[in-house]
Amino acid sequence: NIFGLNIYYDFRDTRNNFHISQLGFGGEILRDRFDCRFNFYLPLSNKKFLSSEIKDYSGGYELREEHFEGTLKSIFFEGGYWIEKTDLLSVYGAVGQYYLYKNKCTKGFGGNTRIKIEFKKYVSLEGRVSYDSRFNMRAQGIIALRFPLGEANIKKSKKPLYQNVHRDRKSTRLNSSHIPLSRMPSSA
């Protein structure tokens, strides 16, 4: 059994020149066939105003549409299982649950699943699918090629010297809000 804790600091620039900073805290339990992970992401950046547009509607109503970019707090849990684990072929599957939160209007639960197939520990194919009410369905694929250095030393120890860390990236997304001007308080 392996128990681990981690702390991350992330910094990214978005295509709208918004600088995103966040802290990530996590823990994991790794066993021979089963593992589970828990991560919490805490944004350090505020939102950035991108644009505003006012639309007129009949009856004297207006709608002000504002676009912001920002980060979301999130909590992520995942459990995985090595379905097949041999020297030639390994198959891993995982399912998880996450919760995104910014304010009363921007929050929600989501779920994800992923499957990874490794060939002789040198080539891996992975597919991931997630769904939540904020971002709907997202799918991605990963192809990884490994070129180990010092393979002879790793084989002698019979235990891997590393373990991949899986982190959820949903905590950094675009945020839009629609505010009807006729309903806005006068202090806004």
Side-chain angles (χ1 to χ4, degrees):
N1 294 339
I2 298 174
F3 302 91
L5 297 173
N6 58 65
I7 298 174
Y8 282 96
Y9 172 77
D10 287 327
F11 179 83
R12 274 184 267 176
D13 287 328
T14 68
R15 65 176 170 234
N16 297 310
N17 201 27
F18 180 48
H19 309 294
I20 295 173
S21 293
Q22 69 180 13
L23 285 176
F25 304 92
E28 59 190 356
I29 299 171
L30 307 173
R31 299 194 65 176
D32 185 45
R33 285 212 179 262
F34 175 77
D35 55 55
C36 65
R37 294 172 176 82
F38 173 82
N39 292 303
F40 172 71
Y41 300 98
L42 180 65
L44 302 176
S45 305
N46 292 321
K47 64 184 177 183
K48 177 184 177 181
F49 178 76
L50 297 177
S51 66
S52 179
E53 181 181 348
I54 296 177
K55 298 177 181 178
D56 291 318
Y57 292 93
S58 62
Y61 289 96
E62 294 179 329
L63 175 72
R64 182 166 119 192
E65 186 175 304
E66 294 182 335
H67 297 274
F68 296 90
E69 189 171 49
T71 57
L72 301 173
K73 293 177 194 170
S74 64
I75 298 172
F76 174 79
F77 174 79
E78 179 185 71
Y81 185 77
W82 286 98
I83 301 161
E84 181 69 34
K85 200 170 184 182
T86 67
D87 289 339
L88 178 63
L89 177 74
S90 297
V91 180
Y92 176 82
V95 295
Q97 180 83 31
Y98 56 89
Y99 181 72
L100 306 171
Y101 180 81
K102 181 71 173 180
N103 54 40
K104 287 187 263 185
C105 298
T106 309
K107 63 181 179 179
F109 282 97
N112 68 294
T113 186
R114 63 188 177 106
I115 189 161
K116 178 166 63 171
I117 301 169
E118 290 184 349
F119 303 99
K120 293 190 68 89
K121 298 186 181 184
Y122 298 110
V123 177
S124 68
L125 305 172
E126 184 173 349
R128 301 177 182 181
V129 177
S130 65
Y131 179 84
D132 59 70
S133 59
R134 181 77 183 140
F135 302 108
N136 299 316
M137 186 181 302
R138 304 277 175 146
Q140 66 184 130
I142 300 167
I143 299 172
L145 303 173
R146 290 187 188 89
F147 301 99
L149 303 174
E151 181 71 20
N153 293 333
I154 293 172
K155 285 183 180 178
K156 285 179 190 174
S157 71
K158 298 288 184 190
K159 290 186 177 184
L161 301 176
Y162 63 91
Q163 173 70 36
N164 292 336
V165 175
H166 176 71
R167 300 172 53 215
D168 181 50
R169 294 289 190 170
K170 286 222 177 268
S171 59
T172 307
R173 299 288 189 223
L174 290 177
N175 182 19
S176 297
S177 60
H178 305 279
I179 304 169
L181 289 180
S182 59
R183 306 275 188 236
M184 286 179 52
S186 59
S187 64

